[in-house]
Each structure stands twice: as C-alpha cells, then as structure tokens.
Amino acid sequence: MMAWRQKPVLVASCILGLSTTFVWSRYYKSAAFERPFHLSILTFFFAGLALPAYAKYIIHADSRYVPLSDGSPSTKTFLADIIRSPLRLRSLSPSFALLLFCAVARTILYWRTIRTIHCSWDGLQAFLPFFLAIYEFLELRPLRLPRNGHDARERAPGASALTRYAVVALLWGLAATDTLLLSERTTGAICPASPRIQRFIPLAQLVALALDAVFISHVAKLRQGGDGQFRTWRLLGTLFLTSAAVLTFLTMWSSFNRANFRWNILLSWLTIGDLIVDSLAVTMGIVSGVHLLGYVHPTSVSVLLTISSMFVYIQWRIRDGTMIKVWSNWWGLVTGVWLFLGAGILLHLGRAASFQLPSSSGDGIISRNRHGLFALVAFLLVLCQTLFMSPGGFRPTPAPIIANARRESDAWIAGAGKSKSLEAAVSEYRRRYGVPPPPNFDKWYEFATSVESPIIDTFDQIHADLLPYWGTLPSVLRQRTTHLLEHPSLSMGGIIVEDGKIDISPHIHGTHRWMMDVTKDMLEPFARWLPDMQLAFNLDDECRVSVPLDRMKAYSEEGLKARARLASKQSLLSFGGAQDPPWDKDYLGADESIWSEQSPWFVVRSKRQIFYEWISPTCPADSLVQKYRWWNRKAECLDCSAPHMTHGFVSNWTLSGDLCHQPDLAHLHGVLLSPSAMAPSHTLFPVFSQSRLYNFADILYPSPWNFGEKVEIENNKTIPWDQKLNSIYWRGASSDGFAIQGSWQTFLRARFVYMAARAKLSVGAKSLFNLIHSRRDLGISSLRSALTSSSSPPSSPSSPPSQASQTPQRAASAENHLALNVSFVGNFNRCDERNCAAERLTFYGSLDAEPPPSLDFQEHWRHRHLVDLDGAAFSGRFLPFLKSESLPYRAALFRTWWEERVHAWRHFVPLDVRLGDFWAAAEYLGGPGLAEADAIARAGREWSLRSLRKEDMQVYMFRLLLEWGRLVDDRREDLGFALKEGASHE
C-alpha cells in the first residue's frame, strides 16, 4: 500500500547520486570551487527559491500526500501559511539559528581549506556517516517517518544499534581515506613546517564535517517532524536565502581590500559559467536530499553522498593506472575490499531506520544479506575494470618509449646533415623552407663545414622563431629594436653590427656587461659577412614577448605571404642597400638620464601570477586553458598531462612545454606564479633571449653562459659510468621565483627537494595508519639530514655515501640500489622576510640552522643520475651534464636554441614538471634499466661533443643573423643566395 512513495524516493536518490557524481567529476577543474563564497551564495540563493517552489508543487500536485500534523485538516491555504510564518519562525528559532550557523561556518571553513588545499587530507568526507551516527547517538531522539494518511511513530534505533553502525562507519571511513592516501597523485605541494594555521587544516575539515552532520540531522528532524511539511520547506527556503544574505554581506565587507575587490568582482566568463553550472547542480542535490530526508534515515543519505564521491575518485585512479598498483599490494587490496563491503554493511544496518518494502519472514540468507552481496559484486566489477582498463599494466616502464626515441633520433641526425655540398645544401634549404637561402649562405656553409658541424640542413627552430616577424614591416622591426635600446631600464643589451665590425651598446648594467662581451666574442669570426644591423638582447632571465593568438596568427599568415612572394622571384639581390629610415643611433650618445625613460609597451609583472594574463591569450579557444581552471595545487591533473605522456612517462617533449593544455601549471612553476623580474609586452618586439616559454615569441639564441663556459668539466675529465655512484644528485638554490604569500610551496625546485625526502615511502608506509609516523620521520629532521651531508670519496664509489643518503635515503650498497643526494644550499634570498623564514624552517629545520655550503660543481660527475630543473629561466648546467657521461634528467618549461638537436630518451630523460614520473623513471633506470641508462648517458656525451660545442653555437648564430639581416632589410622579398651557373662547391 506504500508503493506510491517508493518511486519518488528512488527518483530523488538517483538525482542526488547523479548530481553528487557530476559535481565531484568537475571538482578540481571548475573555477567555481576555487571561490567558495561565490558558489555558496549562488547555491543558497537558488536553493532558497527552489525548495518552497518544489514543495508547493509536490504537496498540491499529489493528492495522496498527507502532511504530518496532529490530525488537523490537510488542506491549508497559501495565505494562511504566510500569516502564520512569523509564529513558526519564532517557535523554530533555535533550530533556524543553528542551521544558519552551520551553513555560514561551513562555508568559511571550506574557504580556509581551499586557500591552503595542499595542507588538507583527501578522503575525510568519508567520515560523514560516522559523525552522523555519533550525533544521532548523542541525541537518541525518536524518529518519525511519514505514513500514508497518518503519523506512525517508530521506535528510534537503540544505543547498541547506533554503536554498531558507528563502529562500521568509522572503519569504512578509515578504509576510504586510506584508499585515497594510497592512490593519491600529488604534485608535491608543500605544507610548510611552521606553527601557522596551515597545519590545522585537517582539523578544520573535521569540524566542517561535524557541521555537515549537525545540519543534515536537523534538516531530517524538521522533515520527519510533526509540523506541516509545506512550512518546513518554506523554513528551509528562508534559511538558505538568509545564509546567502549573510555570506553576501561578508563578501562585500572583505571587498574594501583592493585585492579582495578584484577577486570578488572581476570574474571571467569561464568563472561565471562554472559558478552557474555547479551551483545549479548542487541545488538539485540539496532539493533531492531534503526530499529524501523526509523518508530515510540521514545516515543513509550520507552514505549515498560519500559513495558517489568515492566512485568518481576511483574512476580517476583507474584511468591513470594508479588503482591497479594499489590493489596489487595486499594492504591496498584489503582496504579496497572493505571500502565496498563496508558500504554494503552500512546500507544494511541503516535499513531499519529507512523506508523499506515489507519483507517476508521467509527471506533467505541471500535476500537478508543482499547489500553485502551487491557490494562484493560491485567490487569484482570494478576490479575487472581496473585490470582491463588500466594503462600500462601493473608496472609500466619507459622501455618502449626509449626504443622509439632511438629510432626517431637516428633518423633526425641522418637527415640533419645529409647535404655534402653547397649545391645540395641550397637545394635542401629550398625544399624544406620554400624560399631561397639568405645572402652569404655560401660563407655560412663554408664556416659550418670548416668546423665539422654535423647539422647542415635542419634549422627549423630558427624559421619557426622568425616566421611571425616576416609579417611585420622591416622598418617597424628596426624602430622597435631602437625602442628597446633607447630604454635600458627594460634590461636590454645592444649589439651594433656596422661595416663588419661589432660594438656594444653603452647603456648596460655592469653586472650584465659580461653577457654582451661574450656575445661579441661569439660573433667576431663571421661578423664581416653580416649586414648592418642592431640587436636587442634580453639581459633578464625571464622571457619578454607574449603575443595574443589572433595577432600571432595574423603575423604568421602575412609572413607566409611575404615568403611566397620571395620564393617567386627569379633574380635575387645580396645585402648592401640603404634602409629607409636608417638605423637610429641617437641613443648611443645619450647621458645617464636615459635610464629614467619608461617604455609604455612593457609592463612590470614581477611577484604576481602571470598565467591568465600572459599565457591564456596565446591559446586557442578549444584548449584546456580556455575550458577550465585547475585550482587544486596539490593534485595532479590527468587530462592536462595526457597529451604529452604515455603510460606515465613523457613521450612528447616538445608538447610538454605547451601550456595551452596544462592549466594546472599556473600554480606549479615559479615564473608563472611569482617571477622575480618580469616585464613582458603583448606587442611583437624583436627580443633575443637565451630561453623562453613555449607560448612566448622571443627569438632564441645560444646562451652566453654556455658559450663563455661558466660551468664546465675541468680539463674535460669525466668518471667512467661503472665508477660512478648509483645515486640521484642535485644541489642548487631556490631561484624559481620570488617567494611571497606562500608561493614557494609549489615552486618546482622546492617541490623536488621536498618530494625527494619522501620518495622512499612504500605503499604500506603511505597508509593512513602510518601517516603520523611517516610525517614525523620524513619531516624536518629528515630534510635537515638530507641537506647537511656530502658524498663518499670518488676513489671508492662503493663506499657508503653520506648521512644524507642514509636518512631517509640509504647508501647504494648494491649495483641496482638507487640512493638520493638532494638538497638546497646557501641562504634563501628570493623571498620576503616571512617566506624566507618559512623556507628555512621547512628545509633546514630551524631558523638558526646553518645552511649547507655550496659544494664544488665537479662533485656532480661522481653520480650517475643528475637532475636539471628550471630556475628563473633555463638551467645553465644542462649542457655540462650531457658531456659528463652521467644520465641527465630534465624537468623544464623553458626552451632553448638546441631543443631540436638534443632528443628526449635518446640523450636525456625528460620529466614532467609535476614530477610524478620521476621516481618511476629513476627506479627503472637505476635498477633493471641500468644498461639503457648507460646507453643514454653515452649517447648524450658523444652527441654533445659533436653538436653542442662553441663552434656549433657560432654556426647557429651565424645562420640566425643572416636570416635576421634579410628580415630587417627593406628589400627582403628580393634578397637571397643563388648559385652561379657552372660553379661547383664541395
């Protein structure tokens, strides 16, 4: 006779489950959840409107629905309900005030957690059923469930029943949280070792859960109480509207701060869209949840919520191949089985308090235990899904990627130097690039062959860099170059080439003068073959030119047209014509007042996030950066790394630098989060830089740091591979960016050093039950020991390394045992006082501790595995690493002039800047893949000694400047090199 109520309950359950699943599937990539106040205000507003409207429709549309009352007539006018509203509100004011407090306080705690999400614990939401059971136990109130036509009071579960439920809920919460800990894929974001509020974020999460439990319990009490149901819905609607008003007041009050005002008011269209979509989804969940709470026990609703969220998380981990590794360990399998079985038991135990169809006394054992049976079947299905859908299997290795990279590299090297004569080189140039070579190409070919350059034909980097500049008039390029040199405050160094001679612009800071001196030395051997020109070199580490995509496409399209006109010319001219207007030289004689001149085309963006202002505009509309915003600095973004990774390893190094599909990197690199010195422009200025981000348009040239041999192997002496320590070695400074407002906690170098101290955690050690112990052992003390040690003497590579490699890193006692030797050195300088102290406390153990001293750079060559990480720009030590016969690992977003000629997995090991792939790659190449590691190290050394010499840098620079000299010439569409008929050049 109660079948009429079954369908709405089932529909509401489905809506609640689906809405929860939808919200959790978008949780990390929606901009809405980064703004808890905005999301809560909008959700509470929608819920406040939806609840009374829904109740009015349900109550008046369903004649079989009889509201709970003390026997008064069921028909009530809407007007009478409004008249009695103040009296009801006064009688229910304690509950109203409590619920209002829970809603507002819960939003504030969530906001606090989001701000320091890297200090939070995943999976704590699984304890919601436990908190509800505890609260119900403390109240022990009778539970009233609606019946068809009358109030039937049922006896509340006894203390023993609630105790059993609470125990099972506690164990289930532990299993769920443990599963998340075992399978977490983190970026290594650091929760600082300090007594600040960040350390109490897990406590705030638990308090928020307790507030959720109180809120749900009291809503259930109102829904299952004896008062009229319509006015209960009205009361809840008023509650949500009031909560929205209170939160709006708090938001407006905080907007008196300028930074808060920008955050609260200036919303992007992406953010607005996410807020609307997710607030509507949460509102649907609230309405369906409130409906369910009138018929089922609140613990059952909480189980449905947590099961939905856990389902989404497990699907994530199955897709990225993590779950199969967790369940291949006995402890991970035990927690996985209990995760499913415990959910079934909770549903079974909550059956007595929930609406159920009548069961006959003759039910068999299967019927009585159907929830547990369904749970086991669900686990088996998910386990099968894990086995068959996990990418890479149980233990994927980079071996297939290495084999493919070897073939591709050999093919590239063979094609890059196949031309053996000038005629062949000219012909190959025309075939590749569709235009004739620049004037004096024969002089370049002669120079390249005289130094035995292995690369004659492939200079795609130069042509890609210069293509958009073909879309700009030569006179504009000359004027913009002059503008750069007229404003030395932009930190630009000038090189002037005139009549085959080279001069340096006088307006250069003394600390950077050496860069131009070295650049001049690089150009001297071929200067007589260069046309007159002026060049502006970026003296800062950070890149400078970021052009929005629409403008960049327009430049490139015009450039292709200009090159097509050049390709059609039958007769070609050489350098030598006059330019109109000529190169401006007035700034060369300017006095010191020139330093005060400020350029309107460049803006200072130091110590602030640049991603959404300088990266997003360079990306297409269908890129992930334009589709969603990954705000969780702690969690890896699977979709963001998928385009350039295969089975957990970088398989496309070039694509790994493209930020357009990686919105999560906005928080994971110092130059994107808080650059030390950033003064970019959205205008296409011809700036020559040593390195650049993929999405910038600076012109790459060989670094003076490498050409000047600032860091090299002394006397070219290397240690043979079999005599090196089988250890990972890194020493350096925290130079990624300027640490302010905790930004250092996600800098690349800081994350690497912190993760190195935790790298030896086994699956069991990552368990929740070892969490406190592990954090104690791998916290300040272990970091301190790792930072204050040195390695064993090179004469005895098998002897135990220093204390740093033993705690928590252990000595390489066997050939295939990989040790770690990683640390910062020196003081932390790129930070404000507060953040410097936090870094020192986290990495050195105390504010008074002496920082580890810098070691001789030659110490690197004694270790097999050398890590190269971006600093404020590219790392200048990578080329020496290649020549050392050690195995270089490179995690970088900055790209340099030699990217096309040095190949990932053939000459070095590429790393994703999230660093999640490093430990798997290092364990393989330091153990079962040791022979492949040796082969990569030897190939890198041999190729670098052939293609990355100082002479190779000059070959590249010579060709680059010939191309540039043609670009800035007014007759560039007539300039080119053509072979004389009958001439032969070998």
Side-chain angles (χ1 to χ4, degrees):
M1 64 179 176
M2 299 169 61
W4 67 272
R5 278 198 299 115
Q6 182 183 8
K7 185 176 179 179
V9 169
L10 292 177
V11 171
S13 299
C14 291
I15 293 176
L16 179 60
L18 290 175
S19 62
T20 304
T21 301
F22 176 80
V23 168
W24 272 97
S25 68
R26 290 172 45 84
Y27 183 58
Y28 289 154
K29 59 187 180 183
S30 170
F33 297 101
E34 189 182 21
R35 301 171 180 269
F37 274 82
H38 295 76
L39 178 62
S40 296
I41 291 170
L42 205 55
T43 299
F44 291 165
F45 177 74
F46 287 156
L49 298 179
L51 288 172
Y54 174 83
K56 182 179 179 181
Y57 170 79
I58 292 297
I59 292 174
H60 292 285
D62 193 344
S63 60
R64 293 167 300 183
Y65 187 95
V66 180
L68 298 178
S69 66
D70 53 2
S72 58
S74 60
T75 305
K76 296 183 179 181
T77 65
F78 187 69
L79 180 60
D81 188 70
I82 294 178
I83 295 174
R84 297 174 183 176
S85 179
L87 181 60
R88 289 197 307 273
L89 186 60
R90 186 163 55 250
S91 64
L92 294 172
S93 58
S95 291
F96 186 90
L98 178 61
L99 291 173
L100 178 63
F101 171 79
C102 289
V104 174
R106 202 259 183 265
T107 300
I108 295 173
L109 289 173
Y110 178 56
W111 166 80
R112 180 67 259 183
T113 302
I114 291 297
R115 289 194 62 184
T116 48
I117 190 67
H118 47 289
C119 292
S120 65
W121 287 6
D122 291 335
L124 292 184
Q125 70 272 13
F127 288 98
L128 181 58
F130 171 73
F131 277 92
L132 266 169
I134 294 298
Y135 188 74
E136 292 291 323
F137 178 83
L138 294 176
E139 280 207 331
L140 279 179
R141 57 179 174 77
L143 184 68
R144 301 182 180 91
L145 294 174
R147 291 294 185 263
N148 186 21
H150 65 279
D151 261 355
R153 297 176 179 267
E154 293 191 358
R155 186 182 52 173
S160 60
L162 278 174
T163 301
R164 289 195 301 271
Y165 190 96
V167 171
V168 175
L170 176 61
L171 294 177
W172 186 75
L174 291 172
T177 305
D178 210 43
T179 298
L180 266 65
L181 286 173
L182 294 174
S183 59
E184 66 178 349
R185 294 283 297 268
T186 71
T187 61
I190 302 165
C191 187
S194 67
R196 294 172 59 190
I197 192 172
Q198 291 96 325
R199 309 299 292 186
F200 297 96
I201 291 302
L203 178 60
Q205 291 177 272
L206 293 176
V207 173
L209 271 181
L211 293 174
D212 289 341
V214 173
F215 190 93
I216 294 173
S217 179
H218 275 266
V219 171
K221 181 179 179 179
L222 291 173
R223 285 282 290 120
Q224 298 166 5
D227 296 324
Q229 289 301 299
F230 183 64
R231 66 182 174 187
T232 298
W233 288 84
R234 285 286 302 273
L235 174 69
L236 293 175
T238 303
L239 168 70
F240 282 112
L241 290 175
T242 306
S243 300
V246 172
L247 292 175
T248 301
F249 171 78
L250 295 176
T251 301
M252 298 306 296
W253 181 266
S254 70
S255 297
F256 286 106
N257 178 281
R258 183 175 181 181
N260 289 341
F261 177 83
R262 292 175 58 87
W263 176 258
N264 293 335
I265 304 300
L266 304 181
L267 306 181
S268 66
W269 288 112
L270 174 65
T271 301
I272 294 173
D274 284 345
L275 282 170
I276 293 174
V277 169
D278 291 306
S279 61
L280 288 175
V282 177
T283 299
M284 291 179 64
I286 290 175
V287 174
S288 58
V290 171
H291 181 92
L292 277 177
L293 288 173
Y295 301 99
V296 302
H297 196 273
T299 53
S300 297
V301 176
S302 68
V303 170
L304 178 59
L305 289 169
T306 51
I307 287 176
S308 300
S309 65
M310 288 301 301
F311 173 79
V312 173
Y313 183 86
I314 289 175
Q315 292 300 311
W316 285 345
R317 297 288 77 94
I318 290 175
R319 287 176 56 202
D320 64 20
T322 304
M323 216 68 218
I324 195 171
K325 300 174 185 176
V326 173
W327 286 347
S328 64
N329 175 274
W330 73 269
W331 179 251
L333 186 61
V334 168
T335 58
V337 172
W338 178 249
L339 178 64
F340 284 80
L341 186 59
I345 295 175
L346 287 176
L347 291 174
H348 174 74
L349 293 177
R351 179 173 59 177
S354 303
F355 167 73
Q356 298 290 332
L357 288 174
S359 59
S360 63
S361 59
D363 284 348
I365 187 171
I366 293 179
S367 179
R368 291 196 303 269
N369 298 281
R370 59 183 178 274
H371 293 94
L373 180 61
F374 292 159
L376 288 177
V377 171
F379 174 75
L380 292 176
L381 291 174
V382 173
L383 183 60
C384 291
Q385 178 194 11
T386 303
L387 294 173
F388 289 104
M389 295 185 62
S390 295
F394 282 92
R395 299 291 176 188
T397 71
I401 302 176
I402 294 174
N404 184 61
R406 186 178 294 115
R407 291 190 296 270
E408 291 182 353
S409 177
D410 290 343
W412 188 94
I413 292 173
K418 67 179 182 180
S419 295
K420 304 303 179 184
S421 66
L422 177 60
E423 290 83 356
V426 172
S427 176
E428 182 65 15
Y429 186 103
R430 282 183 170 272
R431 186 190 71 80
R432 284 175 179 265
Y433 305 118
V435 294
N440 292 341
F441 185 78
D442 56 336
K443 307 301 181 184
W444 173 86
Y445 179 83
E446 181 182 349
F447 180 81
T449 54
S450 69
V451 298
E452 299 180 346
S453 171
I455 299 175
I456 297 296
D457 301 309
T458 306
F459 288 87
D460 297 348
Q461 181 74 61
I462 291 177
H463 290 269
D465 286 355
L466 299 187
L467 177 59
Y469 294 93
W470 277 92
T472 308
L473 293 174
S475 58
V476 173
L477 293 177
R478 296 195 299 271
Q479 291 169 359
R480 289 179 178 176
T481 299
T482 300
H483 178 85
L484 294 171
L485 300 180
E486 285 177 338
H487 295 83
S489 60
L490 293 174
S491 193
M492 297 288 174
I495 291 286
I496 296 92
V497 181
E498 188 171 13
D499 297 329
K501 297 181 180 179
I502 298 177
D503 289 315
I504 300 175
S505 171
H507 311 296
I508 300 174
H509 283 297
T511 54
H512 293 85
R513 172 76 188 199
W514 69 270
M515 294 176 63
M516 293 298 94
D517 291 335
V518 173
T519 303
K520 179 181 178 181
D521 293 341
M522 191 190 310
L523 273 55
E524 289 285 6
F526 51 84
R528 64 185 181 276
W529 306 115
L530 298 177
D532 292 353
M533 66 178 78
Q534 297 179 12
L535 304 167
F537 292 89
N538 176 22
L539 301 179
D540 286 341
D541 292 325
E542 295 81 359
C543 37
R544 310 297 291 273
V545 182
S546 170
V547 182
L549 181 64
D550 54 345
R551 274 187 266 167
M552 200 63 166
K553 282 185 174 180
Y555 283 130
S556 297
E557 290 171 0
E558 287 300 318
L560 290 173
K561 294 177 182 178
R563 291 168 65 87
R565 291 191 292 269
L566 170 60
S568 66
K569 298 298 174 63
Q570 299 298 319
S571 60
L572 299 171
L573 304 177
S574 187
F575 293 128
Q579 312 301 325
D580 183 24
W583 290 101
D584 192 347
K585 301 178 184 177
D586 293 342
Y587 68 91
L588 296 175
D591 57 24
E592 292 301 309
S593 63
I594 195 174
W595 287 94
S596 62
E597 297 291 332
Q598 300 297 317
S599 171
W601 299 101
F602 290 79
V603 294
V604 176
R605 288 296 182 265
S606 302
K607 306 175 187 177
R608 58 186 291 181
Q609 190 181 67
I610 68 166
F611 192 91
Y612 298 103
E613 183 180 4
W614 299 96
I615 300 298
S616 294
T618 69
C619 297
D622 60 349
S623 65
L624 291 186
V625 163
Q626 308 293 4
K627 288 183 177 180
Y628 62 71
R629 179 165 177 161
W630 190 274
W631 53 267
N632 191 338
R633 300 180 291 278
K634 175 184 176 182
E636 280 193 22
C637 174
L638 175 64
D639 293 336
C640 302
S641 59
H644 62 262
M645 299 191 78
T646 301
H647 301 332
F649 300 100
V650 175
S651 56
N652 189 327
W653 173 250
T654 301
L655 195 58
S656 71
D658 186 355
L659 295 170
C660 289
H661 66 272
Q662 305 182 78
D664 59 325
L665 296 190
H667 303 286
L668 299 179
H669 199 290
V671 77
L672 300 174
L673 193 57
S674 181
S676 296
M678 193 73 182
S681 173
H682 281 311
T683 303
L684 190 65
F685 276 88
V687 177
F688 288 78
S689 294
Q690 302 172 78
S691 66
R692 70 155 188 257
L693 296 171
Y694 184 97
N695 302 71
F696 276 64
D698 303 50
I699 303 167
L700 295 175
Y701 79 103
S703 168
W705 179 274
N706 293 130
F707 188 84
E709 298 180 328
K710 290 288 186 178
V711 175
E712 281 295 321
I713 303 173
E714 288 183 358
N715 303 320
N716 202 30
K717 292 181 179 179
T718 62
I719 300 174
W721 176 267
D722 58 359
Q723 296 181 25
K724 293 175 182 281
L725 294 168
N726 193 32
S727 55
I728 298 168
Y729 186 83
W730 185 85
R731 289 291 187 278
S734 179
S735 59
D736 313 35
F738 193 90
I740 188 171
Q741 296 180 346
S743 58
W744 63 272
Q745 296 162 20
T746 54
F747 284 0
L748 175 61
R749 293 188 172 189
R751 289 188 292 114
F752 175 73
V753 173
Y754 193 77
M755 290 171 73
R758 308 175 67 206
K760 293 300 181 180
L761 279 176
S762 65
V763 172
K766 288 173 64 178
S767 171
L768 175 68
F769 303 101
N770 292 321
L771 183 62
I772 298 176
H773 175 75
S774 299
R775 289 200 171 189
R776 183 178 67 247
D777 290 349
L778 292 166
I780 297 176
S781 60
S782 64
L783 283 168
R784 174 62 184 165
S785 67
L787 297 171
T788 57
S789 59
S790 59
S791 300
S792 59
S795 58
S796 56
S798 62
S799 60
S802 62
Q803 182 184 1
S805 297
Q806 299 169 9
T807 311
Q809 305 116 327
R810 299 182 292 275
S813 58
E815 176 71 9
N816 64 347
H817 183 86
L818 190 63
L820 282 166
N821 200 328
V822 173
S823 79
F824 282 126
V825 294
N827 290 312
F828 296 99
N829 298 316
R830 296 194 178 191
C831 42
D832 59 23
E833 182 178 356
R834 182 177 181 180
N835 283 269
C836 283
E839 288 186 88
R840 194 180 188 93
L841 182 62
T842 299
F843 293 107
Y844 294 163
S846 72
L847 298 179
D848 300 325
E850 283 295 323
S854 299
L855 301 179
D856 189 337
F857 192 77
Q858 306 306 309
E859 168 72 15
H860 285 81
W861 320 139
R862 297 171 42 229
H863 304 267
R864 288 179 178 171
H865 308 270
L866 304 179
V867 181
D868 183 66
L869 305 170
D870 275 346
F874 81 110
S875 170
R877 48 179 120 177
F878 181 73
L879 296 190
F881 283 3
L882 278 176
K883 299 174 183 177
S884 69
E885 206 172 336
S886 293
L887 179 63
Y889 296 75
R890 187 176 181 219
L893 291 180
F894 282 94
R895 298 297 186 251
T896 59
W897 70 277
W898 41 259
E899 296 299 333
E900 63 183 338
R901 64 179 67 192
V902 180
H903 305 141
W905 294 112
R906 176 59 166 157
H907 305 127
F908 70 98
V909 178
L911 299 177
D912 185 70
V913 294
R914 299 165 187 82
L915 300 175
D917 57 337
F918 174 66
W919 312 113
E923 286 175 4
Y924 175 76
L925 295 169
L930 207 55
E932 290 175 303
D934 185 12
I936 296 173
R938 282 188 286 104
R941 173 174 169 79
E942 293 170 2
W943 180 240
S944 65
L945 293 177
R946 288 182 57 204
S947 66
L948 296 173
R949 305 162 298 163
K950 295 176 66 172
E951 294 85 353
D952 298 301
M953 300 180 198
Q954 291 176 313
V955 169
Y956 187 94
M957 195 67 167
F958 191 178
R959 182 148 168 170
L960 171 64
L961 294 186
L962 287 179
E963 299 283 3
W964 184 250
R966 174 165 62 179
L967 257 176
V968 296
D969 195 300
D970 290 329
R971 304 172 304 156
R972 66 185 182 189
E973 294 179 15
D974 297 303
L975 298 183
F977 174 80
L979 288 167
K980 297 179 180 179
E981 293 186 9
S984 178
H985 299 79
E986 296 294 337

